[in-house]
Amino acid sequence: MTKVWYRLTAIVLATGALSAHGIAAEVNVYTTREPGLFAPLAADFTARTGIKVNTVFVKDGLAERVAAEGAGSPADLLMTVDIGNLVELVDKGVTRPVTSPALAAAVPAHLRAADGAWYALSLRARLVWADKSLGLTSVSYDDLADPKWKGKVCIRSGQHPYNVALVAAMIAHVGEAKTEEWLTGLKANLAKKPGGGDRDVARDILGGLCQIGVGNSYYVGLMRSGKGGAEQKTWGEEVAVVLPTFTGGGTHVNASGAALAKHAPNAAEAEKLLEYLLSPEGQKIYAEQNFEYPVRADAAVDPIIAALGKLTPDTLPLAEIAKHRKAASLLVDKVGFDR
């Protein structure tokens, strides 16, 4: 049985418990996002609409929890990260589609479910970090398997959702056979056994353990802003960051997103919150709080992230990438990537 750990069941803006029946002008959100990110969004939404936001922060097992609560669940809006988790909500049968002209206008088609079952809210790009002395200014994901990098690449576990999604996207682009060749080549280039986090990659490049590595864009913002402390600020500032692309495609992005709960007692308010999160005001807070790329093309990117260069996201539908996640995970094991 899946172990579910509810890190915090905190009502951020309410004084009472969640109601299974709902109360006018309130909305109940279950989210895996950090309180530091979501609290400002909830506060601004309430200030603009008068709708109270009750928030349950869940670290793991979001889909299982809502499924277990069944028709009596008070959940209205479900928010999580990674396309795999968004699709899991749908597969568990705990969502219902929602569509509106505002949502369709805000989110490009490749970043939402075709039937409105989920919507991307923000994007994280999978980037290459490099030793500045290399003078690396451009690179493709294919290049990571080039023998010239033998013994020089650092990356976290191949089974981490960030990398599973990257491998799944590669499968979607070139097929399983060529992806296996690429993954085998990448493994041969590793400087050490995959592990740790993305920020450890920057640390290891600075320490001379490797020359290039793979990390998510928002970590660059978290490091360079100093939010992670002085040491991480140095890591972030002393590595070069390059936006790689697929051959014939753009830069791989994954998403945070949201879905309307199947039994939402406050569905109308949840739809308003979803539209707010995708409004220019909501997208601005996303960019400022967590250095994520906005989904809206007309929303501003945080200056630290904008300085990395213009992002050209891969337009491969996230739903298509999600279809290849299982194959990607199996391929990671097949080539012994983490061994």
Side-chain angles (χ1 to χ4, degrees):
M1 180 178 180
T2 301
K3 182 179 180 180
V4 179
W5 178 51
Y6 305 116
R7 178 183 49 179
L8 175 64
T9 303
I11 307 305
V12 173
L13 299 173
T15 55
L18 297 184
S19 166
H21 304 291
I23 300 172
E26 72 175 9
V27 59
N28 303 323
V29 177
Y30 284 18
T31 180
T32 65
R33 302 308 313 265
E34 292 291 332
L37 168 65
F38 186 64
L41 289 162
D44 191 54
F45 173 72
T46 298
R48 292 175 182 276
T49 65
I51 299 173
K52 185 171 62 176
V53 181
N54 307 315
T55 313
V56 176
F57 295 102
V58 181
K59 184 174 183 180
D60 298 311
L62 175 61
E64 288 88 344
R65 173 169 178 165
V66 181
E69 291 176 345
S73 175
D76 294 310
L77 193 67
L78 311 175
M79 296 175 60
T80 188
V81 297
D82 185 70
I83 182 58
N85 291 325
L86 287 168
V87 170
E88 183 186 19
L89 292 172
V90 178
D91 291 344
K92 288 282 186 184
V94 299
T95 66
R96 57 168 146 163
V98 55
T99 59
S100 77
L103 296 175
V107 185
H110 68 282
L111 300 176
R112 52 183 160 90
D115 65 352
W118 54 264
Y119 290 85
L121 298 175
S122 62
L123 303 177
R124 298 105 169 267
R126 204 78 179 124
L127 306 181
V128 167
W129 300 347
D131 187 324
K132 283 186 174 179
S133 67
L134 296 173
L136 192 68
T137 57
S138 66
V139 67
S140 71
Y141 293 109
D142 292 310
D143 291 336
L144 293 171
D146 190 313
K148 74 179 182 180
W149 297 116
K150 188 173 180 61
K152 299 176 180 177
V153 180
C154 285
I155 192 170
R156 70 194 311 166
S157 167
Q159 291 294 0
H160 190 279
Y162 297 160
N163 287 333
V164 170
L166 176 61
V167 176
M170 183 66 83
I171 291 175
H173 273 286
V174 301
E176 278 194 48
K178 288 187 176 179
T179 300
E180 182 176 347
E181 291 178 12
W182 172 75
L183 202 55
T184 301
L186 175 54
K187 174 179 169 54
N189 287 344
L190 295 178
K192 66 171 192 174
K193 182 179 177 179
D198 282 4
R199 280 175 279 200
D200 294 332
V201 172
R203 178 201 62 195
D204 289 343
I205 291 173
L206 201 57
L209 186 60
C210 38
Q211 290 193 328
I212 64 171
V214 179
N216 268 4
S217 52
Y218 73 99
Y219 284 120
V220 179
L222 291 172
M223 289 189 295
R224 290 185 177 179
S225 68
K227 283 191 173 183
E231 189 176 36
Q232 289 188 15
K233 185 175 176 63
T234 300
W235 300 347
E237 291 176 342
E238 294 303 318
V239 296
V241 179
V242 186
L243 278 62
T245 58
F246 291 107
T247 301
T251 298
H252 171 63
V253 295
N254 206 329
S256 75
L260 183 65
K262 182 178 181 180
H263 302 293
N266 305 294
E269 288 77 9
E271 290 183 30
K272 288 181 180 178
L273 176 55
L274 183 56
E275 290 182 353
Y276 162 78
L277 295 171
L278 287 162
S279 70
E281 295 79 14
Q283 294 280 283
K284 182 174 184 290
I285 292 177
Y286 262 110
E288 292 175 346
Q289 291 295 317
N290 208 39
F291 305 100
E292 296 178 73
Y293 287 99
V295 166
R296 292 182 66 103
D298 59 353
V301 179
D302 182 88
I304 293 177
I305 300 303
L308 302 180
K310 181 175 173 53
L311 174 70
T312 303
D314 195 34
T315 55
L316 196 69
L318 290 180
E320 177 67 19
I321 293 174
K323 292 177 183 176
H324 297 286
R325 288 182 59 82
K326 182 177 181 180
S329 179
L330 292 173
L331 210 53
V332 168
D333 283 345
K334 183 179 179 181
V335 305
F337 193 81
D338 285 350
R339 293 199 295 269

